[in-house]
Structure formats: structure tokens, C-alpha cells
Amino acid sequence: MIEFLIAALIIILVAYVVILLIGLIPGLPGQVHQIARIIVGVIALLAILQRALPLIGGAGL
């Protein structure tokens, strides 16, 4: 369980850094940043779910 929490924290931190780096790209419209945030958030959520499903009895993704 502790390994899952550490992995989830690392995934969230990496996603946060990626969102910050995307925000530093000059010249991108605001909608691109919004879409990038959504995509990175969904990927992070799927990565966390992939690690959580075996813990709750699922087969994983």
C-alpha cells in the first residue's frame, strides 16, 4: 500500500511538472494549454488506476 502511495505521488508530481513545462512554451494559445492539462491529467489518472486496480482485486489494465 505504501508503494502505491509513493508511486501515485510521483505520478502526480511528474504530471504537475509537465503541465508547468507546457505553460512555459511561448506563443501557444490558452486553449492549447487547457487541452494539454486535461490530457496530462487523464494520463496521470489512468496511470494511478493501473496501479490501484490490483490492490482492490481487479486485474489491472
Side-chain angles (χ1 to χ4, degrees):
M1 183 68 175
I2 297 297
E3 296 89 12
F4 167 72
L5 293 175
I6 292 171
L9 181 63
I10 291 171
I11 291 168
I12 291 169
L13 288 174
V14 168
Y16 183 72
V17 169
V18 169
I19 290 171
L20 286 177
L21 289 175
I22 291 171
L24 292 176
I25 298 173
L28 288 179
Q31 288 180 337
V32 174
H33 292 291
Q34 182 94 13
I35 293 169
R37 277 189 224 126
I38 292 170
I39 291 171
V40 170
V42 167
I43 291 171
L45 180 62
L46 289 174
I48 292 171
L49 281 175
Q50 182 180 12
R51 293 200 169 262
L53 284 176
L55 293 176
I56 58 175
L61 297 176

